[in-house]
Amino acid sequence: MNKKKALVIGSGFAGMSAAINLAHKGLDVTILEKNNTIGGRARHFSASGFTFDMGPSWYWMPDVFESFFNKFGKSVSDYYELIRLDPSYKVTYEGGDEMDIPADMGELETLFESIEPGAGLQLRAFLKQAAYKYEVGINKLVYKPGRSLTEFTSLKLLVDVVRMDVFQSMSKHVRKYFKNPRLIQLMEFPVLFLGALPENTPALYSLMNYADMSLGTWYPKGGMHKIVEAMGKLAEELGVKILTNNAVTKINHSGGIVKSVTTDQGEIHGDVVISGADYHHVETKLLDSDTRNYTDKYWDSRVMAPSSLLYYLGVDKKLDGLLHHNLFFDTDFTPHAHDIYTDPKWPEKPLFYASLTSKTDSTVAPEGHENLFLLIPVAPGLEENDEIREKYLDMILTRMEEHTGQSIKQHIVYKRSFAHRDFISDYNSFKGNAYGLANTLTQTAILKPSLKSKKLKNLYYTGQLTVPGPGVPPSLISGIVVADEVEKDLF
Ligand SMILES: Cc1cc2nc3c(=O)[nH]c(=O)nc-3n(C[C@H](O)[C@H](O)[C@H](O)COP(=O)(O)OP(=O)(O)OC[C@H]3O[C@@H](n4cnc5c(N)ncnc54)[C@H](O)[C@@H]3O)c2cc1C
């Protein structure tokens, strides 16, 4: 019997997850990827002896990765070695004070207690509730396709949803437990991954604190791209064909059914098409206007997650006073947040993040060197140029030099930057966004762009602009959810 043929657009985590799941269900799957390597925003590159992950660097929720591979009779350890980081990360505050976040829960409670009397026990209570949210959120809610409200109408689930603080903001929730501004900032940090301010993020997402503090920060030896390699291998083991250098230029349909896609290499027929490329790009560039799910007005009114100004730097010496992950909260976030979310513009004094995987892994930089990755979150849709990139690099390196008391600028032997125009040219990203659509209350579950086309019977969407949202684990889950929907509709 001829197998049904699925075409997956894009080889990001969501596209690859969808492809793997569909192949496992017995479909003949081909991935079409515009770039010359797989992985999408999680690609990597090597230059001058340094290896850089281009996008994600925090490996959180190891259970999601493990259960992903378990579905196919595999384990994470079949593909890569995981290391738990301890300390998990370093936070630098205004005035130069630092806090190293220990992996051990007892040590973390002691640290909290030393900053605010009673905060140790408060942390325990906070994380107990967050554990419940994680359990319900990760096991029940994120696997919902968000196609209908009826998915949420079981009494048990409704009770869970109410208990999960869906209608309270993260900002209020954290302040109920802690008073010290540093502890508040620390507890609010993980939701920044979800693309919106703590004031606009439902307190349901304190499940991210559970992921951060209880489940821990991990690192796949070699780099985050080891996950991409693992998924590439698993896809090939299941018979998925991966065609790189194949940009899809058109989705062809007749009678409300997609028949084929055109790429810059030719036309390929399929029984079902799943797009893991940025949703807005697919709607506006690959489809005719009468087959789109959403109008321009709809897209313009979406709250996008931030873009990022990124630097990949090779440094010809070891750097002191820095860990694998470093959050520079050494300036007030309020004006920076305003410039990202309220009145989009280039920030005056941004917060930033520095990652040096060479602190943990000797394979990613020559001996005696460091690979330094810097990230400044900025508003999507900003105009940018080389001069702006240089200005911000100089600004944050000066702060790092002053804070750590060592010269860095004159030791840079490799430099590359990446921002809006690269997100657009490399990934067809809407407004140059880095992390897709923000997880605000009005952009959650059924209120996210639908994973299924309303006009074309066999067209589906996956990835960080649809359910469940941005991040590597949600993208893996997005691929699983869409594959299950295809299976329900197709068989
Ligand atoms: C700088 C940065 C840091 C991040 N940090 C973290 C982190 O630490 N931890 C974490 O969990 N998450 C992090 N994220 C988020 C996470 O990386 C993303 O949510 C996830 O990788 C998105 O996967 P995706 O499959 O939805 O999209 P993508 O990875 O963008 O995949 C889409 C794919 O579609 C391809 N494509 C586009 N148009 C076409 C076309 N016309 N034809 C063919 N192919 C096409 C693109 O080239 C791309 O490969 C980060 C993201 C960025 C950018």
Side-chain angles (χ1 to χ4, degrees), residues 10 13-14 33-35 40-41 56-58 248 276 281 428 463-464 471-472:
F13 282 118
E33 166 57 51
K34 75 181 270 293
N35 291 325
R41 282 162 164 88
S57 54
W58 297 78
V248 175
H281 161 71
N428 288 318
Q464 60 178 2
V472 177

Side-chain angles (χ1 to χ4, degrees), residues 4 12 45 66 86 119 160 183 199 201 276 287 295 311 323 371 433 454 484:
K4 298 255 189 215
F45 72 93
E66 188 57 36
D86 187 12
D160 282 338
L183 294 185
E199 294 87 293
T201 304
L287 288 173
T295 60
Y311 303 95
L323 299 179
N371 66 348
N433 80 77
K454 298 166 188 168
D484 287 348

Side-chain angles (χ1 to χ4, degrees), residues 20 38 229-242:
I20 288 168
I38 60 169
E229 278 175 26
M231 291 184 68
K233 265 194 209 147
L234 177 57
E236 281 174 358
E237 282 161 19
L238 289 165
V240 175
K241 290 183 243 7
I242 303 178

